[in-house]
Amino acid sequence: MSSVRDVRKIRASGFDQPEINDPRHSDGELSSEGSEESHSSQEEVSWIQWFCALQGNEFFTEVAEDFIQDDFNLTGLGSQVPYYDYALDIILDVESPQDEVLTEEQQELVESAAEVLYGLIHARYIVTQRGMQQMVDKFNRYEFGRCPRVYCEGQAVLPVGQSDTAQKYTVKVYCPRCGDIYYPKSSRKGAMDGAYVGTSFPHLLLMAYPELVPPRPTQFYVPRVYGFRLRQTPPAPTLPEHGGSSKSRRSRSSGQLAGPGSPSVAGGGSNGSTAATTAAGAGARSRGGGADVD
């Protein structure tokens, strides 16, 4: 059963076998220079280097091993990743004797868990001083791409996640000039989980490196037809509800006032006018000593 380590070892070696007609081997022995080259080609790359070099993982940076070895930096990840201990051993290239008892299916699950674990560790690492500096270098080399908006004039972008929970959204890119997010230009890079970058990374980086913040765009697209600007149609006004509420209708039908302090009679129409006249007449009789005037 071959594991990820075996594959990395094969890739690192590059199958560099000496040719039969190589003059270095004419005497049946390797020269000292050839021996050194052969030895260097057989050196195994680390899992982190191998993983970050894979196509589609260009947004990743190499996390320092001492950061991973600090248990404090991994707090809470054990409950989020299955086969946590096995996955951590793979990331740190620790040969565990328990690997031999895993079935091929379990080994595949462990390797998949290692990728998830590294991604979650990566999201924590890139908001540290060392991690930010590594990401700034990639930003300055335009490794994350450029903003697709025309008036941003090819502004370099930063990766960003829409959620800090894994397996919810894929990674997007954030433009510090226009302040909007976009899909990465490469669909291969865009398949990365957004939680492996996190929602806070680009904003924390620009706060730590204010010199990287570009000026806001001054040009905006104006739609035109044959050179004439299109008139912006205002939104239609919201009409009041037809007939009012049922409570208001009940008030009008009973002839009661609309409410305390209302200057009008809620009954409306002739009935309302009659009620107002009757009230006024009663007041006049009261002021006149109670005598009715015909």
Side-chain angles (χ1 to χ4, degrees), residues 135-279:
M135 297 296 273
V136 166
D137 294 340
K138 295 170 76 70
F139 172 79
N140 290 332
R141 294 192 296 264
Y142 293 90
E143 292 188 17
F144 304 124
R146 299 172 183 266
C147 180
R149 185 175 179 274
V150 173
Y151 293 118
C152 284
E153 302 177 341
Q155 170 65 45
V157 295
L158 289 163
V160 66
Q162 292 179 272
S163 174
D164 293 315
T165 304
Q167 300 180 351
K168 283 194 120 179
Y169 301 99
T170 56
V171 70
K172 306 299 184 296
V173 290
Y174 169 78
C175 175
R177 184 182 292 270
C178 66
D180 211 341
I181 63 173
Y182 304 89
Y183 288 98
K185 184 177 180 180
S186 170
S187 59
R188 186 180 66 243
K189 297 177 182 178
M192 173 183 173
D193 196 314
Y196 299 164
V197 178
T199 58
S200 304
F201 161 68
H203 315 298
L204 289 174
L205 185 142
L206 294 173
M207 290 172 62
Y209 295 86
E211 67 275 8
L212 298 179
V213 180
R216 303 294 290 181
T218 57
Q219 288 181 290
F220 300 91
Y221 175 72
V222 178
R224 298 177 183 271
V225 174
Y226 298 119
F228 296 96
R229 294 182 58 175
L230 294 180
R231 180 180 178 182
Q232 299 295 328
T233 305
T238 304
L239 297 177
E241 184 181 354
H242 179 68
S245 65
S246 58
K247 183 176 181 181
S248 299
R249 289 195 295 270
R250 288 195 300 270
S251 298
R252 288 195 294 271
S253 63
S254 61
Q256 297 176 352
L257 296 178
S262 175
S264 61
V265 179
S270 59
N271 293 334
S273 301
T274 302
T277 304
T278 303

Side-chain angles (χ1 to χ4, degrees), residues 7 44 64 81 96 98 106-107 113 166 195 199 209 250 256-257 274:
V7 174
E44 181 182 354
V81 181
S96 174
Q98 298 178 348
Q106 288 175 327
Q107 185 68 30
T199 58
Y209 295 86
R250 288 195 300 270
Q256 297 176 352
L257 296 178
T274 302

